[in-house]
Amino acid sequence: MFKALKEKLFSVRQRLETTIEEQKLDSDLTIHSAPSQGSPEPSALSESPAPTPPPRESEREKKAPGFAQKVVSLVRDREFIIAAKDIEDSLSDLEIGLLESDVAFSATDAILTRVREDLTGSKRKIGTSVDAVITNALSDALLSVLGEGVNILDFIASREKPVKILFTGVNGTGKTTSVAKVAHYLTNHGLTVAIGAGDTFRAGAIEQIDVHGERLGLKVIQHQEGSDPSAVLFDTVQYAKAHNIDIVLGDTAGRFHNRVNLMNQLAKIRRVIQPDLIVYVDEAVAGNDAVIRAEEFSKSVGMDAVMLTKVDMDPKGGAAISIAHAVGKPLIFIGTGQGYDDIMPFEPKAIVADLLAGEA
Ligand SMILES: Nc1nc2c(ncn2[C@@H]2O[C@H](COP(=O)(O)OP(=O)(O)O)[C@@H](O)[C@H]2O)c(=O)[nH]1
Ligand SMILES: [Mg+2]
C-alpha cells in the first residue's frame, strides 16, 4: 500500500539520519577536544595520549573493563542538539516528497512544522538511536494529521437501533460497492443489515445493489427508477424497525455539490431519515482532487466520516494522508479492491507504522 510514498519517506529518513549522525559526531568531537572544567574524566576521552606512563600489562588487564565502561557511559551521557539549519535541506526533501505524493498543502505544512519542532532544539543523549528519533518525529507528525480514527463497531454500539448510515459522494467513486463491502464487514461482526437502494437516478443502479444484496443474502429495499430516494430509505428504516435489524445502509446517487436538484434530494433524505452517520465516499486515486471535493462537500452538505476507495490502485497515498485533516472528520474505512473482503477499517497507528516500516 502507498509504495511511492513509503519510498519517499524512506529516503528522507535516510538523509535525515546521515545529517543528524554527522552533527552528533561533530558534537562528540567537540566534547573530546574541549573537556568541561573541573571534571577529570573528560581528559580520558581526549585523543592526545595520557600524560602518565602506561600501566603494566597485568594492571591494564585488570583496569580495562572498568575504564571502557566509564568511557562508554561518559559518551552516552553527553548531549547534542539538532540544529534547525542543518536539517532544512532534508525537510525540504520531505516537503517535496509529500507534495509529489499528492498530500494536500495544509497537511504537508502541518507535518513539516511538527517534524521540525520535534527534532530541533531539545537536548538529546549521544547514545540515543537517531533512527528512533526520526521515526518517532515522523510518526507523531503523520498521526497528528490523520487524527484518532473511529471504530465503527463502537460507534454503532453507542447508537439506538437501527443505526442509519448514508453513503454519499461523486459518481463512480465506489459508493455502491462500498455499501456492499460495509454490509459484509458488519454482518461478519455479528450485526444485521438492510440496504436501501437510494440511487434511483442512474440507470442500472438498483439492479447493481440488488445483485450485491442477493450475493450477500441481505434484504435490499427498492422502488422504481426515478422514484423519490427519501421514500426508499424511509421504507428501509421501517423494514429494519419491523425486523429488529441493527443497521440500515443507504446507497445514494452520485452527486456534485453544484447540482442543485441532487443536493436538494440529499437534503430531503437527511430530513426524512435523520442518518446517524453520513459517509462521504471518494477514490484515493483522485489524489488532491478527492481532498478538494471532500472539502466542498463538507462545506455544502456536511459529512461525519470518509471512506476512501481504490487504495489498491494508489501508490501515492496523498488523499489518505490529507483527507481527514482537510475536512476535520475521520477516515473510517479504506477500499482495497473489488471483492467484498477488500475493505479495511482505517487505523491511523497501523497505517503510519506500515508507512515507516522501512524500504517499500
Ligand atoms: N480497485 C478497486 N476498485 C473499486 C473499489 N471500490 C469500487 N471499485 C470499482 O469502482 C467502480 C465504480 O464503483 P461503484 O460502486 O459502482 O461506484 P458508485 O458510482 O460511486 O456507486 C466499480 O467498477 C467498482 O468495482 C476499490 O476499493 N478498489
Ligand atoms: Mg452507485
Side-chain angles (χ1 to χ4, degrees), residues 59-102:
E59 271 176 57
R60 198 160 51 203
E61 269 166 25
K62 256 189 270 165
K63 280 185 180 169
F67 174 75
Q69 265 165 18
K70 225 175 191 176
V71 171
V72 168
S73 76
L74 268 170
V75 171
R76 282 192 183 284
D77 287 345
R78 296 283 167 197
E79 288 170 334
F80 72 105
I81 293 178
I82 302 167
K85 66 174 173 35
D86 292 326
I87 58 166
E88 270 320 307
D89 286 350
S90 306
L91 292 184
S92 305
D93 277 2
L94 176 61
E95 183 175 25
I96 293 164
L98 291 171
L99 291 172
E100 279 176 355
S101 303
D102 275 352

Side-chain angles (χ1 to χ4, degrees), residues 169-352:
V170 181
N171 214 14
T173 52
K175 283 181 301 303
T176 305
T177 312
S178 295
V179 167
K181 285 181 186 178
V182 171
H184 183 58
Y185 177 86
L186 296 176
T187 51
N188 278 346
H189 285 83
L191 295 158
T192 48
V193 176
I195 295 174
D199 182 356
T200 57
F201 183 76
R202 189 176 64 83
I206 297 170
E207 289 83 342
Q208 186 189 356
I209 191 76
D210 195 42
V211 168
H212 286 310
E214 210 161 284
R215 287 190 194 141
L216 294 168
L218 297 172
K219 179 77 177 173
V220 176
I221 304 293
Q222 49 191 289
H223 292 185
Q224 280 180 349
E225 199 180 308
S227 62
D228 184 351
S230 39
V232 181
L233 297 174
F234 182 81
D235 281 358
T236 316
V237 174
Q238 294 311 109
Y239 177 88
K241 282 181 180 164
H243 294 82
N244 203 21
I245 281 173
D246 300 321
I247 298 145
V248 165
L249 300 181
D251 193 16
T252 64
R255 60 199 73 225
F256 287 98
H257 60 285
N258 53 4
R259 292 282 296 275
V260 176
N261 54 344
L262 280 176
M263 294 315 283
N264 288 341
Q265 217 177 50
L266 192 59
K268 186 171 174 192
I269 294 172
R270 290 180 68 174
R271 277 200 309 276
V272 170
I273 70 157
Q274 303 196 350
D276 294 273
L277 195 72
I278 299 183
V279 179
Y280 173 77
V281 180
D282 212 322
E283 48 189 20
V285 281
N288 226 348
D289 282 351
V291 178
I292 292 164
R293 283 199 294 249
E295 280 177 313
E296 287 170 349
F297 242 85
S298 176
K299 278 185 213 136
S300 59
V301 187
M303 61 179 73
D304 303 308
V306 179
M307 173 157 182
L308 264 189
T309 62
K310 309 183 192 178
V311 163
D312 51 308
M313 289 157 64
D314 171 35
K316 291 184 168 181
I321 299 296
S322 0
I323 204 157
H325 183 256
V327 295
K329 303 287 177 191
L331 179 48
I332 48 166
F333 279 115
I334 48 178
T336 55
Q338 306 210 30
Y340 294 129
D341 284 318
D342 296 328
I343 176 170
M344 274 170 64
F346 187 81
E347 286 162 2
K349 282 189 180 143
I351 296 285
V352 170

Side-chain angles (χ1 to χ4, degrees), residues 46 131 203 258:
S46 165
D131 183 44
N258 53 4

